[in-house]
């Protein structure tokens, strides 16, 4: 006898990247956080929260934040759904759209593991389609899988590649279900697929403040789609899924685009250097458009390297799954952190 539904007994829970033990200083390059602090305007917004904003329930639709998104991204404010991190929006999407065999979840592999976890919880059948050579989007197979929801992360994690806009457009045209374009890492890439939400009724683009805006601890993400698509999602979302502090700080972050862009530029420059340095050490490194790189060691195995780095107080993410055998995903840190990593690797 189990206390839980069979789907929960059968599933594997999502395993987040390790957190350093309190009091221990580590170089944390394992969960794709931004190495720079959030905008000073975000901290000022926190200091200015008045007690009434805390006494009351927050605005269930975070209008103030949606208005800022609208002005920055050139979409109407009622095309925005806000979540407790973009993970919350992913969860809402699966709960609203997917169920069993008839309403499948489809995505190319390798990609963000949470898509699988959330589907298992629902439960909804998943169809995982392997990416082609050089991460070519397998459009035909994705369409044939006939998902109620099809997830495409672009830039993708952990590979770091960007899916060409033309491929996303073709996919959106050919599938009957919803296409979710998860742009968690878009602030470190060139371009975006945002224009597709204007062209298609079935496309939603997801963004987060966790990466580009250095606010992973705040938990704020959002989706942009036409109101008809959002209507079903609003029925599913928790009434007060984002708190008053997050709305206030998130709005300040959204309104300080130049700070975010400056930090992203620094990360991109460091990413090129880190890629070069890893290649000089013999690693095979994929060209990344995120704030991380995926590296395969030329000698030794990644599992061993991951453990040795951990002993030295440097946390990176180890991957060993189908299509991703024995690899390290390394978040781009400050130049100092990246240098410490390179030195440690050089000395292994
Ligand atoms: N999508 C992708 C592809 C991610 O890697 C992450 C971060 N783990 C997220 C979404 C979720 O980000 P958050 O919930 O912090 O907004």
């Amino acid at each position: 006898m189990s206390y839980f539904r069979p789907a929960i007994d059968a599933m594997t829970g999502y395993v987040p990247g390790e957190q350093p033990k309190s009091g221990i200083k580590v170089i944390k390059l394992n969960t794709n956080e931004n190495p720079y602090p959030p905008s000073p305007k975000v901290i000022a917004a926190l200091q200015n929260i008045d007690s009434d904003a805390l006494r009351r329930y927050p605005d269930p639709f975070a209008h103030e934040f949606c208005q800022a998104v609208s002005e920055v991204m050139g979409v109407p404010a009622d095309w925005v759904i806000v979540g407790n991190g973009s993970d919350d929006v992913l969860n809402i999407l699966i709960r609203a759209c997917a169920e069993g065999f008839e309403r499948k979840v489809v995505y190319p592999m390798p990609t963000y593991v949470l898509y699988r976890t959330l589907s298992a919880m629902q439960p909804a059948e998943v169809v995982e389609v392997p990416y082609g050579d050089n991460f070519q989007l397998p459009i035909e197979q994705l369409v044939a899988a006939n998902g109620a929801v099809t997830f495409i992360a672009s830039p993708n994690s952990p590979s770091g590649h960007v899916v060409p806009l033309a491929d996303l457009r073709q996919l959106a045209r050919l599938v009957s279900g919803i296409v979710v374009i998860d742009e968690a890492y878009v602030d470190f890439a060139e371009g975006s697929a945002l224009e597709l939400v204007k062209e298609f009724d079935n496309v939603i683009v997801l963004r987060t403040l966790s990466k580009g805006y250095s606010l992973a601890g705040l938990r704020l993400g959002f989706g942009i789609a036409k109101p008809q698509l959002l209507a079903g999602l609003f029925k599913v979302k928790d009434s007060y899924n984002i708190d008053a502090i997050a709305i206030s700080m998130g709005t300040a972050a959204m309104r300080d685009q130049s700070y975010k862009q400056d930090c992203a530029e620094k990360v991109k420059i460091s990413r090129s250097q880190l890629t070069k340095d890893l290649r000089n050490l013999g690693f095979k490194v994929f060209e990344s458009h995120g704030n991380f790189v995926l590296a395969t060691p030329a000698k030794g195995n990644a599992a061993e390297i991951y453990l040795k780095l951990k002993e030295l107080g440097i946390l990176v993410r180890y991957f060993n799954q189908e299509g991703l055998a024995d690899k390290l995903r390394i978040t781009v840190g400050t130049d100092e952190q990246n240098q410490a990593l390179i030195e440690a690797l050089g000395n292994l």
Side-chain angles (χ1 to χ4, degrees):
M1 216 290 275
S2 165
Y3 288 121
F4 306 110
R5 290 189 285 120
I8 303 303
D9 277 330
M11 71 179 277
T12 310
Y14 180 75
V15 185
E18 308 152 85
Q19 291 284 354
K21 293 190 185 74
S22 72
I24 296 178
K25 206 166 168 336
V26 297
I27 296 180
K28 191 168 182 299
L29 303 176
N30 64 342
T31 50
N32 297 347
E33 288 142 344
N34 197 311
Y36 300 106
S39 154
K41 293 184 180 162
V42 171
I43 308 305
L46 174 65
Q47 284 156 349
N48 287 332
I49 302 261
D50 67 49
S51 77
D52 235 24
L54 298 177
R55 183 181 60 79
R56 293 195 186 123
Y57 282 104
D59 173 359
F61 298 100
H63 286 100
E64 185 191 350
F65 178 75
C66 295
Q67 187 55 38
V69 171
S70 164
E71 287 164 28
V72 168
M73 306 208 172
V75 292
D78 65 349
W79 287 33
V80 184
I81 183 169
V82 190
N84 186 16
S86 52
D87 283 351
D88 185 30
V89 187
L90 292 171
N91 187 26
I92 291 167
L93 274 159
I94 289 195
R95 283 201 284 155
C97 305
E99 189 171 50
F101 185 75
E102 293 300 318
R103 302 191 59 87
K104 294 184 207 64
V105 175
V106 176
Y107 47 86
M109 280 292 278
T111 193
Y112 187 31
V113 180
L114 193 74
Y115 305 150
R116 178 191 288 166
T117 312
L118 293 172
S119 305
M121 233 180 264
Q122 184 66 355
E125 192 89 9
V126 296
V127 180
E128 301 182 332
V129 183
Y131 263 110
D133 293 340
N134 298 316
F135 292 106
Q136 182 80 28
L137 191 71
I139 298 177
E140 233 172 78
Q141 290 122 292
L142 291 170
V143 173
N146 192 25
V149 201
T150 304
F151 288 103
I152 311 288
S154 179
N156 187 45
S157 175
S159 60
H161 78 277
V162 165
V163 179
L165 185 62
D167 288 359
L168 293 171
R169 182 175 278 121
Q170 201 184 346
L171 184 72
R173 196 181 297 131
L174 294 174
V175 297
S176 50
I178 290 180
V179 175
V180 182
I181 305 172
D182 181 347
E183 293 194 332
Y185 298 102
V186 78
D187 298 311
F188 309 103
E190 315 296 325
S192 152
L194 186 58
E195 64 193 74
L196 298 185
V197 302
K198 295 182 182 164
E199 284 175 47
F200 295 97
D201 294 344
N202 63 336
V203 171
I204 180 166
V205 168
L206 302 192
R207 297 284 181 92
T208 180
L209 275 73
S210 297
K211 315 291 178 186
Y213 298 83
S214 307
L215 287 171
L218 192 66
R219 311 306 303 131
L220 199 62
F222 57 98
I224 301 174
K226 288 191 180 155
Q228 307 89 288
L229 194 160
L230 296 190
L233 306 184
F234 282 130
K235 290 188 198 169
V236 170
K237 112 178 167 53
D238 289 347
S239 307
Y240 304 114
N241 61 332
I242 5 129
D243 63 71
I245 300 173
I247 294 171
S248 216
M249 294 175 75
T251 303
M254 189 52 55
R255 292 196 182 285
D256 196 354
Q257 287 295 305
S258 67
Y259 180 89
K260 178 208 69 171
Q261 276 151 11
D262 289 349
C263 291
E265 281 314 311
K266 284 196 271 184
V267 168
K268 282 155 74 174
I269 292 168
S270 306
R271 178 181 68 201
S272 305
Q273 187 62 46
L274 179 62
T275 302
K276 237 185 264 167
D277 291 346
L278 286 166
R279 284 179 181 157
N280 283 342
L281 286 174
F283 284 84
K284 180 169 179 281
V285 185
F286 289 95
E287 203 62 51
S288 172
H289 300 269
N291 64 335
F292 54 85
V293 295
L294 189 66
T296 316
K299 58 178 171 38
N301 62 59
E304 215 172 286
I305 296 172
Y306 154 78
L307 286 174
K308 283 187 180 159
L309 287 175
K310 192 172 157 180
E311 268 171 39
L312 295 169
I314 302 176
L315 296 180
V316 299
R317 194 77 173 250
Y318 171 64
F319 280 89
N320 194 18
Q321 60 192 63
E322 225 178 288
L324 269 191
D326 207 43
K327 296 198 174 3
L328 299 174
R329 192 195 65 191
I330 304 168
T331 304
V332 178
T334 60
D335 286 339
E336 223 180 12
Q337 292 175 320
N338 302 336
Q339 200 48 46
L341 167 86
I342 293 297
E343 272 167 34
L345 287 172
N347 293 332
L348 287 186

